[in-house]
Amino acid sequence: MSKYTLLLVFSLFPIQLFSNTYDCSKIKSEEDQIDALIQAVSEIKGTFIRNGEEHNAVDAAKHLRTKLENAKKSPLSWGQKWTAAQFIDQLGTKSSVSGIPYEIKWNDGKKTPSGPWLHGELKKIKTLCFSS
């Protein structure tokens, strides 16, 4: 095996090791990618901080799903096809009311802004499910 093949194998190994929650057979469209991201939120090991208050992962996912459904019903987005990146940037990063960024507080106490984390998860989905 060449050193480039080994580099490729080892660079993909962490993604495969930590991304076993994505079932690529069910992720075919942008909407499927959004669903996968919301599912990933429901499985975080910690809490989701919204407007300064902590919410469990399942409630956070429900909130994001409701926010998406409300956005789809808005006259400003009638007929719009949401991409996963738009979902993250417009709905998954901050409160629409207060503008306060969302954070994830992991079980070890560390905090991560939701936007970069969601974009990282989207990158994993695209790498696992859409790379040839």
Side-chain angles (χ1 to χ4, degrees):
M1 230 188 278
S2 76
K3 64 181 176 181
Y4 298 108
T5 304
L6 286 173
L7 180 62
L8 177 63
V9 168
F10 286 112
S11 68
L12 293 176
F13 180 74
I15 292 171
Q16 293 172 344
L17 181 66
F18 297 112
S19 297
N20 56 2
T21 59
Y22 298 115
D23 181 354
C24 292
S25 69
K26 295 180 180 179
I27 303 175
K28 303 296 182 201
S29 66
E30 290 286 340
E31 190 170 328
D32 295 338
Q33 292 172 59
I34 294 169
D35 288 339
L37 290 170
I38 292 172
Q39 181 63 36
V41 168
S42 77
E43 297 171 357
I44 60 173
K45 304 294 184 222
T47 58
F48 197 85
I49 302 173
R50 180 168 45 93
N51 290 322
E53 295 181 17
E54 292 186 18
H55 301 270
N56 68 51
V58 172
D59 287 343
K62 286 179 186 175
H63 173 73
L64 291 176
R65 171 85 51 213
T66 299
K67 213 173 158 180
L68 176 62
E69 294 307 316
N70 289 340
K72 287 179 178 179
K73 293 175 188 173
S74 167
L76 298 175
S77 69
W78 281 345
Q80 175 182 345
K81 297 281 186 182
W82 284 80
T83 67
Q86 286 174 317
F87 164 75
I88 294 168
D89 294 338
Q90 295 179 27
L91 304 176
T93 58
K94 64 183 177 181
S95 168
S96 302
V97 176
S98 69
I100 297 172
Y102 295 150
E103 293 181 300
I104 299 166
K105 181 178 175 186
W106 304 103
N107 285 340
D108 66 4
K110 292 181 183 174
K111 292 182 182 178
T112 303
S114 67
W117 181 79
L118 285 166
H119 276 292
E121 291 302 300
L122 179 58
K123 185 176 180 179
K124 289 177 190 177
I125 290 167
K126 290 189 180 295
T127 300
L128 288 170
C129 303
F130 296 98
S131 294
S132 335

